Amino acid sequence: MITTVHKITKKPNNSQIVAGLLPTDSNIEFGGIKDTKEVFFVQNGKTHQFSDLPLKYVKQLEEKYKSDVPAQKYLNGITNLFHKQLELYTYFLYGDIDTTPDILDGILQEPENFRDSDNCPSMLFKHKVIKIQDYILTPREILITDLFKKDFTDKIIADSLNIAHSYLDYLKRNLFKNCGVTTKTAFVLKAQKYGVIQL
């Protein structure tokens, strides 16, 4: 029988806690429900419906959405209701719960590396970029990343991209260099760390 009791004296690292989850954290973290594309937000330790988002933050989202013509074209094809378009836009840009606030000190931040699926429509949106550290991945690099995630061989990847194996090697070297890694495994782990892929 174990009778030793360990006293925890270390405070939790706030950078590892979901943004807005603490009662004193007035920053906002958006989250989305994949099946319905509904959005909620966390602030001051409470979860709220998207419809309860304060107007000053709604206006920031509206401004970003109104400047994103590709997003408007896509979302207009789904619904004519502007408030629903705005919620879907928020889902596609900020739908993943993480430790980085989506609204920090009252200011809407850059979109997350969140993709609803490998072929997420948000990849066509003006304000959507996928990054590893500060490096913005090209559409082809995102596709290669998705194929790496599936653990395909280089031959299968080159064939599926309709490129020579030597050209794939060239693309991989550049991608690895830009992301600060030297191997496919290290790259996949880093892509996972930055939310580019979910394993």
Side-chain angles (χ1 to χ4, degrees):
M1 173 185 267
I2 300 174
T3 58
T4 307
V5 176
H6 295 283
K7 187 175 179 182
I8 300 173
T9 57
K10 185 177 179 183
K11 291 183 180 180
N13 180 348
N14 286 352
S15 67
Q16 295 176 351
I17 296 175
V18 171
L21 195 59
L22 296 175
T24 57
D25 187 356
S26 61
N27 293 312
I28 291 176
E29 177 62 24
F30 293 113
I33 301 168
K34 188 172 184 170
D35 293 340
T36 62
K37 312 287 190 264
E38 292 176 277
V39 175
F40 59 90
F41 68 94
V42 181
Q43 183 183 36
N44 295 115
K46 296 180 181 175
T47 304
H48 309 271
Q49 294 180 344
F50 184 74
S51 59
D52 295 332
L53 188 67
L55 186 59
K56 63 183 177 181
Y57 304 130
V58 171
K59 288 186 182 288
Q60 290 181 50
L61 285 166
E62 283 179 357
E63 184 178 325
K64 186 177 277 291
Y65 178 56
K66 288 178 179 178
S67 71
D68 195 333
V69 174
Q72 291 176 44
K73 285 181 181 177
Y74 175 75
L75 296 172
N76 273 324
I78 295 176
T79 179
N80 292 328
L81 301 172
F82 182 78
H83 72 279
K84 189 61 183 168
Q85 289 176 11
L86 191 62
E87 183 174 1
L88 286 167
Y89 186 66
T90 304
Y91 171 80
F92 283 120
L93 292 188
Y94 301 99
D96 197 24
I97 290 284
D98 59 26
T99 60
T100 306
D102 297 321
I103 297 179
L104 177 65
D105 298 329
I107 299 170
L108 185 65
Q109 301 299 296
E110 291 301 311
E112 302 173 336
N113 276 350
F114 170 72
R115 290 185 296 157
D116 181 66
S117 61
D118 287 351
N119 295 321
C120 185
S122 69
M123 296 309 301
L124 302 173
F125 295 1
K126 175 183 174 184
H127 297 295
K128 187 66 169 188
V129 296
I130 300 295
K131 295 181 185 179
I132 294 181
Q133 290 174 307
D134 291 327
Y135 178 69
I136 298 173
L137 276 68
T138 66
R140 177 173 267 174
E141 290 170 334
I142 293 168
L143 180 55
I144 290 170
T145 302
D146 292 340
L147 295 171
F148 283 170
K149 173 181 78 173
K150 294 174 182 172
D151 202 27
F152 289 154
T153 65
D154 285 356
K155 180 177 179 356
I156 292 173
I157 293 172
D159 289 349
S160 67
L161 296 173
N162 201 25
I163 60 175
H165 190 277
S166 59
Y167 188 57
L168 176 62
D169 287 342
Y170 168 79
L171 293 173
K172 283 175 31 183
R173 277 193 307 276
N174 284 340
L175 179 60
F176 293 172
K177 178 183 170 195
N178 287 324
C179 295
V181 297
T182 56
T183 67
K184 184 175 172 180
T185 301
F187 175 77
V188 168
L189 290 171
K190 196 164 207 178
Q192 183 181 12
K193 175 183 175 184
Y194 281 87
V196 176
I197 59 174
Q198 287 78 37
L199 297 178

Coordinates of all heavy atoms in Angstrom, one line a residue, residues 1 15 19 23 38 43 45-46 50 52 60 63 66 80-81 103 121 131 140 150 156 165 181 187:
M1 N 0.8 -1.2 0.0 CA 0.0 0.0 0.0 C 0.9 1.2 0.0 O 1.8 1.3 0.8 CB -0.9 0.0 1.2 CG -1.7 1.3 1.4 SD -2.6 1.4 2.9 CE -4.1 0.7 2.3
S15 N 0.2 29.1 -20.0 CA 0.3 28.9 -21.4 C -0.2 27.5 -21.9 O -0.3 27.3 -23.1 CB 1.7 29.2 -21.9 OG 2.6 28.1 -21.4
A19 N -7.3 29.2 -23.6 CA -7.5 30.6 -23.4 C -8.9 30.9 -23.0 O -9.9 30.2 -23.4 CB -7.2 31.3 -24.7
P23 N -11.2 32.0 -14.6 CA -12.2 33.0 -14.2 C -11.7 34.4 -14.4 O -12.5 35.3 -14.6 CB -12.6 32.7 -12.8 CG -12.2 31.3 -12.5 CD -11.1 31.0 -13.5
E38 N -21.4 24.9 -35.5 CA -21.7 26.0 -34.5 C -20.5 26.4 -33.7 O -19.6 25.6 -33.4 CB -22.8 25.4 -33.5 CG -24.1 25.1 -34.2 CD -25.1 24.5 -33.2 OE1 -25.1 23.3 -33.1 OE2 -25.9 25.3 -32.7
Q43 N -14.7 32.6 -22.1 CA -14.2 33.8 -21.5 C -14.6 33.8 -20.1 O -15.7 33.5 -19.7 CB -14.9 35.0 -22.2 CG -14.4 36.4 -21.7 CD -15.1 37.5 -22.4 OE1 -16.3 37.5 -22.6 NE2 -14.4 38.6 -22.6
G45 N -13.7 32.0 -17.7 CA -14.1 30.6 -17.2 C -15.4 30.1 -17.5 O -15.8 29.1 -17.0
K46 N -16.1 30.8 -18.4 CA -17.5 30.3 -18.8 C -17.6 30.1 -20.3 O -16.9 30.8 -21.1 CB -18.5 31.3 -18.4 CG -18.6 31.5 -16.9 CD -19.7 32.5 -16.5 CE -19.7 32.6 -15.0 NZ -20.6 33.6 -14.5
F50 N -22.2 31.7 -29.5 CA -21.7 32.7 -30.4 C -22.6 33.9 -30.4 O -22.2 35.1 -30.5 CB -21.5 32.1 -31.8 CG -20.9 33.1 -32.8 CD1 -19.6 33.4 -32.7 CD2 -21.7 33.7 -33.8 CE1 -19.0 34.3 -33.6 CE2 -21.1 34.6 -34.7 CZ -19.8 34.9 -34.6
D52 N -24.0 35.3 -28.2 CA -23.8 36.2 -27.0 C -22.5 37.0 -27.1 O -22.2 37.7 -26.1 CB -23.8 35.3 -25.7 CG -25.2 34.7 -25.5 OD1 -26.2 35.2 -25.9 OD2 -25.2 33.6 -24.8
Q60 N -15.5 43.5 -35.2 CA -14.2 43.1 -35.7 C -14.3 41.9 -36.6 O -13.6 41.9 -37.7 CB -13.3 42.8 -34.5 CG -12.9 44.0 -33.7 CD -11.9 43.6 -32.5 OE1 -10.9 42.9 -32.7 NE2 -12.3 44.1 -31.3
E63 N -15.8 43.1 -39.9 CA -14.8 43.8 -40.8 C -13.9 42.8 -41.5 O -13.6 43.0 -42.7 CB -14.0 44.7 -39.9 CG -13.0 45.6 -40.6 CD -12.3 46.6 -39.7 OE1 -12.9 47.1 -38.7 OE2 -11.1 46.9 -40.0
K66 N -16.0 41.0 -44.2 CA -16.4 41.8 -45.4 C -15.2 42.1 -46.3 O -15.4 42.5 -47.4 CB -17.0 43.1 -44.9 CG -18.4 42.9 -44.3 CD -19.0 44.2 -43.8 CE -20.4 44.0 -43.3 NZ -21.0 45.2 -42.7
N80 N -28.1 32.5 -46.8 CA -28.3 33.9 -47.0 C -28.3 34.7 -45.7 O -28.3 36.0 -45.8 CB -29.6 34.2 -47.8 CG -29.6 33.6 -49.2 OD1 -28.5 33.6 -49.8 ND2 -30.7 33.1 -49.7
L81 N -28.3 34.1 -44.6 CA -28.4 34.8 -43.3 C -27.0 35.3 -42.9 O -26.1 34.5 -42.7 CB -28.9 33.8 -42.2 CG -30.3 33.3 -42.5 CD1 -30.7 32.2 -41.4 CD2 -31.3 34.4 -42.5
I103 N -9.2 36.4 -29.4 CA -9.3 37.8 -29.1 C -8.5 38.1 -27.9 O -8.8 37.7 -26.8 CB -10.8 38.3 -28.9 CG1 -11.6 38.0 -30.2 CG2 -10.9 39.7 -28.5 CD1 -13.1 38.4 -30.1
P121 N -12.7 24.2 -47.0 CA -13.0 25.3 -47.9 C -12.3 26.6 -47.5 O -12.0 27.5 -48.3 CB -14.5 25.5 -47.9 CG -15.0 24.7 -46.7 CD -13.9 23.6 -46.4
K131 N 0.6 27.9 -41.0 CA 2.0 28.2 -40.7 C 2.6 27.1 -39.8 O 1.9 26.5 -39.0 CB 2.1 29.5 -39.9 CG 1.7 30.8 -40.6 CD 1.9 31.9 -39.7 CE 1.4 33.2 -40.2 NZ 1.7 34.3 -39.2
R140 N 0.6 23.5 -52.2 CA 1.3 22.2 -52.5 C 2.0 21.6 -51.2 O 1.9 20.4 -51.0 CB 2.3 22.4 -53.6 CG 3.1 21.1 -53.9 CD 4.0 21.2 -55.1 NE 3.2 20.7 -56.2 CZ 3.6 20.7 -57.5 NH1 4.8 21.2 -57.8 NH2 2.8 20.3 -58.5
K150 N -0.5 10.6 -43.8 CA -1.1 9.3 -44.1 C 0.0 8.2 -44.3 O -0.3 7.1 -44.6 CB -1.9 9.4 -45.4 CG -3.1 10.3 -45.3 CD -3.8 10.5 -46.6 CE -5.0 11.4 -46.3 NZ -5.7 11.8 -47.5
I156 N 4.7 7.1 -53.8 CA 3.3 7.3 -53.9 C 2.9 8.8 -53.9 O 2.1 9.3 -54.6 CB 2.5 6.6 -52.8 CG1 2.6 5.1 -53.0 CG2 1.1 7.0 -52.7 CD1 2.1 4.2 -51.8
H165 N 10.2 11.9 -58.8 CA 10.6 11.7 -57.4 C 11.7 12.7 -57.0 O 11.8 13.2 -55.9 CB 11.1 10.2 -57.3 CG 11.4 9.8 -55.9 ND1 12.6 10.1 -55.2 CD2 10.6 9.2 -55.0 CE1 12.6 9.6 -54.0 NE2 11.4 9.0 -53.8
V181 N 13.7 21.5 -39.8 CA 13.8 20.1 -39.5 C 14.6 19.4 -40.6 O 14.9 20.1 -41.6 CB 12.4 19.4 -39.3 CG1 11.6 20.0 -38.2 CG2 11.6 19.5 -40.6
F187 N 9.4 16.6 -39.2 CA 8.5 17.5 -39.8 C 7.0 17.2 -39.4 O 6.3 18.1 -39.0 CB 8.6 17.5 -41.4 CG 7.5 18.3 -42.0 CD1 7.7 19.7 -42.1 CD2 6.4 17.8 -42.6 CE1 6.7 20.5 -42.6 CE2 5.4 18.5 -43.1 CZ 5.6 19.9 -43.2

